[in-house]
Amino acid sequence: MNKSIRNRAVSGTALALAVSAVLTACGGGDGASSDTKAAKGTPSARPATEVKDPLVATFDGGLYILDGESLELGRTIELPGFNRVNPAGDEDHVIVSTDAGFRVLDATGQALTDITYEGAKPGHVVRHAGKTVLFTDGTGEVNVLDPADLAGGKKPEGRTYTSAEAHHGVAIELSNGELLSTLGTEEKRTGALVLDKDNKEIARNENCPGVHGEAAAEGEAVAVGCEDGVLIYKDGEFTKVDAPDDYGRIGNQAGSDASPILLGDYKTDPDAELERPTRISLIDTRTAKLRLVDLGTSYSFRSLGRGPHGEALVLGTDGALRVIDPETGKVDKEIPVVDEWQEPLDWQQPRPTLFVRDHTAYVSEPGKRTLHAVDIESGEKTASVTLPKSTNELSGVAAH
């Protein structure tokens, strides 16, 4: 999120929140208690129910662990502060971002492990080609891990890299060992570089103002978003795809190994306190062409996902999940899931959130304290649950 937008988004909030949001507005965790016992995470006294393919939802003060099929609530873990969650990349673990760094949660075992990656403002978590990459905004440190190594309960030994300057960034390791990582400072982000497996720089492009977010497409084409389009890295070369507007920000993207086309958001007002866009972008990595599709509804940065066959999925503020053919841009299906909603001005405030795994789209509805599971192909709601508290972020273990 570019600096001017971030500053506007947090205007009127407490100074501590504003400082934290500068670098973590889309990828980090903040605000967790510094109390040692609380920071370790305290399971509730309620006995845990066994969960299969667990989901993890955050709430104000902790984590809910739920069964991925029935949505039955297993264990509740107390963890004060604003925490964020991402798949770790295996069938058992989830990465939790806290103010002290990345924590590894054994979601299947329903307990926080002792595996931590300490550092201020933990940011993006990226899974690709069997590796999971953590980017710590406050230090610029990149940690690459093999999620299969988490099963031993010890911190995996993996590749590390530290950016020239700390910034709200992202990194991804390719199947050939190349590491793409963003370039920037706390004040300005400009592009990306690529390192070989020995961390030697082999490519660089700084024609991507406000670089933010990443996604990988079929054929291992990787894109990062810019304030004027996207930057694609493919077959050892960078290609810039310009937006049709002078300011056409694509800050959040979703990719699929089953499609060469990336799904992105699209914003055109650099002065908006909070722009609520109605258009999404579809970026063809084969042709370096960008298509805009007007959905007739707005959405948020937690609204984008991909289906099992590469379908583009967008959860609209009208409450419907749209299933879009990325090749044509046609909306093939609109699935009513939740009530109409509006994106809050503060990015940390709860809003309906989409998490996709295999053929199931999971959608939270904080206003009703509910969570729903939807079959993407049939459009049927297969399960729903009402939770004790409203949830914020939603994630889970990786698919089998």
Side-chain angles (χ1 to χ4, degrees), residues 299-384:
Y299 56 90
S300 88
F301 70 95
R302 292 185 187 153
S303 292
L304 307 181
R306 299 303 290 263
H309 308 296
E311 309 96 318
L313 307 175
V314 182
L315 177 66
T317 55
D318 60 357
L321 178 66
R322 283 162 174 76
V323 182
I324 304 163
D325 182 339
E327 292 282 354
T328 64
K330 178 186 176 184
V331 178
D332 289 334
K333 199 181 306 181
E334 293 186 15
I335 306 171
V337 184
V338 298
D339 287 345
E340 188 175 345
W341 54 283
Q342 185 178 61
E343 182 180 5
L345 289 175
D346 180 355
W347 73 271
Q348 290 187 339
Q349 290 302 306
R351 80 285 308 281
T353 296
L354 172 68
F355 172 66
V356 183
R357 188 171 60 196
D358 279 344
H359 296 262
T360 303
Y362 299 95
V363 180
S364 65
E365 191 168 14
K368 292 186 174 181
R369 296 183 288 113
T370 55
L371 178 65
H372 311 283
V374 177
D375 183 277
I376 295 169
E377 289 168 326
S378 70
E380 294 181 9
K381 192 177 288 186
T382 58
S384 293

Side-chain angles (χ1 to χ4, degrees), residues 125-342:
V125 177
V126 176
R127 296 172 296 123
H128 179 72
K131 296 294 178 64
T132 300
V133 183
L134 314 177
F135 194 105
T136 302
D137 293 348
T139 62
E141 185 175 77
V142 174
N143 283 278
V144 181
L145 64 97
D146 184 339
D149 294 338
L150 295 172
K154 295 182 179 179
K155 186 175 179 178
E157 293 185 7
R159 176 182 189 174
T160 62
Y161 164 72
T162 301
S163 305
E165 294 194 56
H167 64 282
H168 179 46
V170 66
I172 178 172
E173 185 174 278
L174 306 184
S175 58
N176 62 3
E178 292 180 355
L179 181 72
L180 183 150
S181 189
T182 52
L183 292 162
T185 67
E186 289 190 12
E187 289 75 32
K188 184 179 181 181
R189 302 191 301 275
T190 57
L193 57 74
V194 178
L195 308 172
D196 67 14
K197 60 184 180 181
D198 298 316
N199 281 3
K200 178 183 177 182
E201 183 176 327
I202 56 174
R204 172 186 291 245
N205 187 298
E206 296 191 57
N207 185 26
C208 186
V211 60
H212 185 272
E214 57 66 45
E218 182 183 41
E220 208 168 39
V222 175
V224 291
C226 317
E227 291 174 358
D228 56 1
V230 296
L231 189 62
I232 297 174
Y233 180 73
K234 181 181 179 182
D235 298 329
E237 295 183 353
F238 280 107
T239 302
K240 179 64 179 291
V241 182
D242 293 324
D245 299 277
D246 290 339
Y247 181 90
R249 183 177 187 270
I250 301 174
N252 299 280
Q253 311 91 35
S256 168
D257 290 340
S259 172
I261 299 173
L262 300 170
L263 166 66
D265 57 1
Y266 193 73
K267 295 184 176 182
T268 58
D269 186 355
D271 298 319
E273 181 178 14
L274 173 67
E275 184 175 352
R276 296 186 170 96
T278 61
R279 291 184 294 175
I280 52 98
S281 56
L282 296 171
I283 304 102
D284 193 328
T285 60
R286 298 165 300 189
T287 61
K289 300 290 186 182
L290 185 153
R291 176 205 302 263
L292 298 178
V293 178
D294 197 324
L295 300 179
T297 183
S298 63
Y299 56 90
S300 88
F301 70 95
R302 292 185 187 153
S303 292
L304 307 181
R306 299 303 290 263
H309 308 296
E311 309 96 318
L313 307 175
V314 182
L315 177 66
T317 55
D318 60 357
L321 178 66
R322 283 162 174 76
V323 182
I324 304 163
D325 182 339
E327 292 282 354
T328 64
K330 178 186 176 184
V331 178
D332 289 334
K333 199 181 306 181
E334 293 186 15
I335 306 171
V337 184
V338 298
D339 287 345
E340 188 175 345
W341 54 283
Q342 185 178 61

Side-chain angles (χ1 to χ4, degrees), residues 41-116:
T42 306
S44 66
R46 180 179 183 274
T49 302
E50 183 178 349
V51 292
K52 182 181 180 182
D53 300 327
L55 301 174
V56 179
T58 69
F59 64 90
D60 186 10
L63 309 170
Y64 290 132
I65 302 178
L66 307 102
D67 186 272
E69 184 173 341
S70 68
L71 301 187
E72 181 179 358
L73 177 60
R75 186 176 290 281
T76 299
I77 295 177
E78 297 175 9
L79 190 64
F82 181 77
N83 302 297
R84 312 202 69 188
V85 284
N86 285 280
D90 67 352
E91 299 175 6
D92 297 308
H93 297 88
V94 166
I95 304 292
V96 183
S97 302
T98 73
D99 69 333
F102 295 104
R103 298 285 309 274
V104 177
L105 169 71
D106 181 350
T108 301
Q110 303 182 68
L112 282 162
T113 72
D114 291 328
I115 302 173
T116 64

